[in-house]
Amino acid sequence: MPGAENISCKKPDPELRVTSAKNPGMSTFPPPVLSLTERSADDMKKALVLAGGIPQIELIITCCTDQALLTVADVSGALGLPCYIDAKTARNVTNKRYMKQVFREAGIPTAKFLITTDTDPEQFRDFRYPLVVKPVDCNSSKGVIKVYDRGQLAAAMENAAALSRTHDVIVEEYMTGVELSCDFAVRDGVVTTLSLSESQKVKSDKKFVICRSVCPPRIKDGVAEKIRNVAQQIADAFGLYNSPLLIQFIYDGDEDVSVIEFSARTGGAIKYRLVWNMSHVDVVDEVVELTLNGRFDAKPEYQDVHLRNEFLYCENGELDHVEGLEELLRDGTVNGTYLFKTKGDRFTGVNSSGDRVAALVFLGESDEEVRRRCHEAVRRIRVIDRDGKDILKREINLAD
């Protein structure tokens, strides 16, 4: 199934356009039939039994969703279906309570942390502010807040606990530096780098919402190999033998890197296109083949190119339509466009990556070239609400 992308919709849309990693262009991401991130494994198994569909099911799969990986592994194991990861390992790589315990035991570099169900800030008296508060088991930066004092800490912990399925909260010391998002292939226990990118965030004192990915990242010589060595350490510690591997790092600007978190999956949204553009590996195809045949056979062909994935956000309002994307594709200003929202969707702030309306892809020979084309595109795009108002928050994308 080379180059294929299979998407299920609640309602078929004759105008729906999708692309694969190998075939750039305009793409629309429709809502799924069932969001596994909203269902526990037990609920999923009960639903399958009630539907009487177990005998017909041959494969349950997720490629790039963090919490769904645990559900897929658990249900696949219970039904005897193929999955590249078992339920215990999936738990360890998707729940920060277990993940951080393995980090500590294996000596994997990470921030000072404490995991708790108690929202009393007194237990963090030995921690250095600012702190970062997270639910242990959420996607898309939901509930992730930076706090500067004990009063803010208590409120952030209550919010994170409410979002967590287990009501567990992780609190970490905030680390300064450049955030890196790094994709790897684990093949027969050996880690190979697929892509390294820099994740830049919307300017905020408290939140961590990504607004762009940039390749290559600003790192010194030798740091890429240090990153790969830490990735190998993670694969060894978590027993990953044939698997995709996605790791978020903080780089101090000199020689040291520290792990924020990771998962045994590919990156979400359009990360698959970034990996393809940088190494000509179709990670979606590879995960399907891995699930069916047990081997992650990625063989990167590294590309000498500058890349920028730009994510667009909106003022509060209800989406009617987006203007300008097809023209930007035709005249070559952008190399790919992706819509994440459809008519009638509402925007209520920039709180997580789930709030983005669209993404733009730029490829060029220099950082300056892709930056210039990005700014041009952002000025030309219009996101129109139901009242005819342009609600695109251009200042986010023009601030670099």
Side-chain angles (χ1 to χ4, degrees), residues 124-262:
F124 301 101
R125 59 184 177 274
D126 296 329
F127 279 60
R128 172 179 49 83
Y129 285 85
L131 302 175
V132 179
V133 180
K134 309 174 184 179
V136 298
D137 53 2
C138 284
N139 293 308
S140 306
S141 300
K142 293 185 181 72
V144 181
I145 303 251
K146 181 162 66 170
V147 299
Y148 297 86
D149 56 46
R150 291 180 57 172
Q152 293 178 350
L153 176 60
M157 290 182 68
E158 290 177 4
N159 178 64
L163 291 170
S164 170
R165 295 164 182 79
T166 61
H167 306 295
D168 287 336
V169 175
I170 180 169
V171 179
E172 304 172 333
E173 289 188 346
Y174 174 71
M175 297 181 294
T176 59
V178 177
E179 183 172 326
L180 305 175
S181 179
C182 307
D183 284 83
F184 307 89
V186 187
R187 181 183 179 188
D188 295 339
V190 179
V191 169
T192 299
T193 302
L194 300 181
S195 70
L196 306 178
S197 60
E198 180 177 330
S199 300
Q200 299 179 6
K201 303 301 180 74
V202 177
K203 291 184 178 180
S204 171
D205 292 334
K206 294 185 176 182
K207 299 175 184 177
F208 300 87
V209 181
I210 185 171
C211 61
R212 72 182 57 87
S213 298
V214 177
C215 297
R218 298 168 293 174
I219 58 176
K220 291 185 176 180
D221 292 343
V223 173
E225 182 58 22
K226 179 172 286 190
I227 287 170
R228 197 207 69 80
N229 290 338
V230 174
Q232 185 67 63
Q233 190 179 2
I234 287 175
D236 294 342
F238 285 83
L240 303 176
Y241 194 69
N242 282 289
S243 174
L245 180 58
L246 170 66
I247 308 177
Q248 292 173 264
F249 290 92
I250 284 290
Y251 167 56
D252 71 353
D254 190 14
E255 296 182 353
D256 289 334
V257 292
S258 182
V259 178
I260 302 172
E261 61 190 41
F262 88 101

